[in-house]
Amino acid sequence: MLPVLLLSPTLLLALLSPALAGDVQFGGGCNPDHQKLQEGTFQFQTDCDAMTFCAANSTCAHRGCRQDEFPFGYSSTAKLPDRCPKGQFCPDEQDLCQPVLAVGSPCQFNRDDECEGPPNFKELADTTGFGLNKNGSVCLNNICMWANITVGDTCVVQNTAYTAYGPDGEFIDIVSRGNCRVGLYCDAQTTQCLQAKAVGATCDADKECLTYNCLASGVCGDRADVPREVGKWVYVVVGICIFGGMVGTLIGLYFVHRKDRDQEREKRMQYWREQNAFRQNIMQMQDTARNSIMDFTPGASPRSTLYGRDQMQTEDSQAPMLHPASKSSALRYYVSDDGSQIDDRSDEDLMMRRREPPVAHGERF
């Protein structure tokens, strides 16, 4: 079961708005009066989807222009509308390209690109990347003007409260803009252009810093997009730590595997000792059985056991000599590499067998 998420009303409105508005496709009905800027984000809203606009006949028609290089909402196979040429702009409705507006003309919210640039636009244009103006022109309070006000002169300021979201919930982020030249800011209290502050100076807002980054400590910090650089000693320490970690890992693995090898070696040694003791026991059994066979006929040599007793008592010279049934002795054994004698017969072969007396010469049939 999914946990219940507690969202603020503003966030719920932001999440549900795209589903409630902007879902009417081409040819569907729409109301031009529903076109507005979303509260908190100031995003343009309409009844039509991302590929259409609400025309004057209250139906969704295909858009006639686009503002972005890669507009949102189009499929990979859809044909994109053209971008407006120089000297024209594409409004929020994205219905048709229109010529740029002169100074003092009404413009849409924060659409600096809708305003015509001044003659010295190259000198006034913002090159910092902070979006302070567009070719030296700026749209403040929905009026086109030029960003050419110098230090000490009266300026126009626009403060906009945006709804932002962080780990602790939503908060208000106020963005202040003015028509001062680049490197200056319009003070909201005096409505005059003042010199922007360097890194380390005290500040109350981002616009007061040349880096446009006023830290929570109340001083101007570095640009937010500046890469962080570290000293060479940090690279040396990191390299040593990496090398030391590799060596430590190898040493640890060596000791772990050596312990395992010692345990396996001890198991093999124990197995060898058990097998050796078992072999010694078998050899003792063989010696005992051999001595018993040797002692079965007192005074007889080992070869005398190969003949029957009746033959040993006859004196008939014509009786043939009986050869042993086997050329080897009753117990066969060999000498191993370590000098021990090992019998290659099973325990059943060590048991004594009763030999039948040989048949006499005159009794053959």
Side-chain angles (χ1 to χ4, degrees):
M1 181 177 181
L2 295 177
V4 178
L5 299 178
L6 299 179
L7 302 178
S8 62
T10 306
L11 181 57
L12 287 174
L13 180 62
L15 295 176
L16 296 178
S17 295
L20 298 178
D23 54 355
V24 181
Q25 298 181 355
F26 174 76
C30 62
N31 188 349
D33 295 336
H34 292 170
Q35 299 181 149
K36 61 178 182 179
L37 298 179
Q38 183 180 356
E39 183 181 358
T41 62
F42 296 92
Q43 182 180 4
F44 182 78
Q45 285 186 333
T46 179
D47 293 339
C48 301
D49 60 8
M51 295 185 295
T52 58
F53 73 98
C54 188
N57 58 358
S58 298
T59 59
C60 292
H62 290 297
R63 290 182 174 181
C65 61
R66 74 177 192 271
Q67 301 174 5
D68 304 322
E69 182 68 25
F70 304 99
F72 175 78
Y74 288 84
S75 63
S76 58
T77 58
K79 182 180 179 181
L80 301 180
D82 297 331
R83 299 190 67 181
C84 297
K86 186 177 180 180
Q88 295 182 353
F89 69 93
C90 185
D92 290 343
E93 296 81 4
Q94 302 186 40
D95 53 349
L96 187 65
C97 291
Q98 300 179 15
V100 293
L101 305 175
V103 176
S105 302
C107 55
Q108 294 176 322
F109 179 75
N110 278 356
R111 290 296 306 274
D112 298 343
D113 59 321
E114 294 183 0
C115 302
E116 183 181 9
N120 58 339
F121 69 93
K122 292 183 179 180
E123 179 184 354
L124 300 177
D126 174 34
T127 58
T128 61
F130 296 139
L132 302 179
N133 62 63
K134 178 67 174 180
N135 292 330
S137 60
V138 61
C139 179
L140 298 178
N141 301 320
N142 298 106
I143 299 296
C144 287
M145 56 188 68
W146 292 339
N148 58 354
I149 308 300
T150 59
V151 177
D153 294 338
T154 303
C155 57
V156 178
V157 64
Q158 172 187 293
N159 294 326
T160 306
Y162 291 90
T163 302
Y165 304 93
D168 299 329
E170 66 178 34
F171 60 95
I172 302 300
D173 182 24
I174 299 178
V175 176
S176 181
R177 306 182 67 213
N179 60 341
C180 299
R181 296 173 66 100
V182 177
L184 308 177
Y185 72 94
C186 185
D187 183 67
Q189 302 296 329
T190 62
T191 63
Q192 291 182 349
C193 291
L194 302 179
Q195 181 64 44
K197 302 175 183 179
V199 176
T202 58
C203 59
D204 295 325
D206 291 336
K207 67 176 182 179
E208 297 181 8
C209 304
L210 289 172
T211 58
Y212 220 75
N213 182 23
C214 184
L215 303 178
S217 58
V219 296
C220 294
D222 295 331
R223 289 176 57 118
D225 57 351
V226 172
R228 185 177 298 274
E229 298 181 358
V230 296
K232 296 182 179 179
W233 64 271
V234 177
Y235 294 97
V236 175
V237 172
V238 172
I240 293 176
C241 292
I242 294 175
F243 181 77
M246 295 173 58
V247 173
T249 301
L250 294 176
I251 293 176
L253 291 175
Y254 169 76
F255 282 107
V256 170
H257 287 289
R258 188 179 70 171
K259 182 179 179 180
D260 294 339
R261 288 195 302 269
D262 293 341
Q263 293 177 354
E264 294 297 327
R265 187 182 300 108
E266 181 63 25
K267 292 180 181 179
R268 290 193 295 269
M269 290 296 298
Q270 184 178 359
Y271 175 78
W272 180 85
R273 287 191 291 266
E274 292 176 355
Q275 294 299 318
N276 188 46
F278 181 69
R279 186 186 65 173
Q280 296 297 333
N281 293 336
I282 294 178
M283 293 178 61
Q284 292 178 3
M285 292 174 61
Q286 293 176 353
D287 293 339
T288 303
R290 186 181 299 109
N291 294 335
S292 299
I293 294 174
M294 297 291 294
D295 295 341
F296 183 75
T297 306
S301 64
R303 296 182 60 86
S304 62
T305 60
L306 302 176
Y307 306 95
R309 294 182 179 180
D310 295 340
Q311 180 185 359
M312 295 175 61
Q313 296 175 359
T314 181
E315 296 180 3
D316 189 359
S317 61
Q318 299 300 325
M321 180 180 292
L322 295 180
H323 296 280
S326 176
K327 295 183 180 180
S328 60
S329 61
L331 295 175
R332 298 189 301 275
Y333 61 95
Y334 64 92
V335 180
S336 63
D337 296 339
D338 56 358
S340 60
Q341 297 179 352
I342 302 177
D343 188 4
D344 62 353
R345 299 181 62 186
S346 63
D347 294 343
E348 296 179 355
D349 295 337
L350 301 178
M351 298 179 60
M352 297 178 56
R353 299 182 180 179
R354 183 175 178 272
R355 300 178 61 89
E356 297 294 339
V359 181
H361 181 71
E363 296 179 357
R364 295 184 178 178
F365 331 134

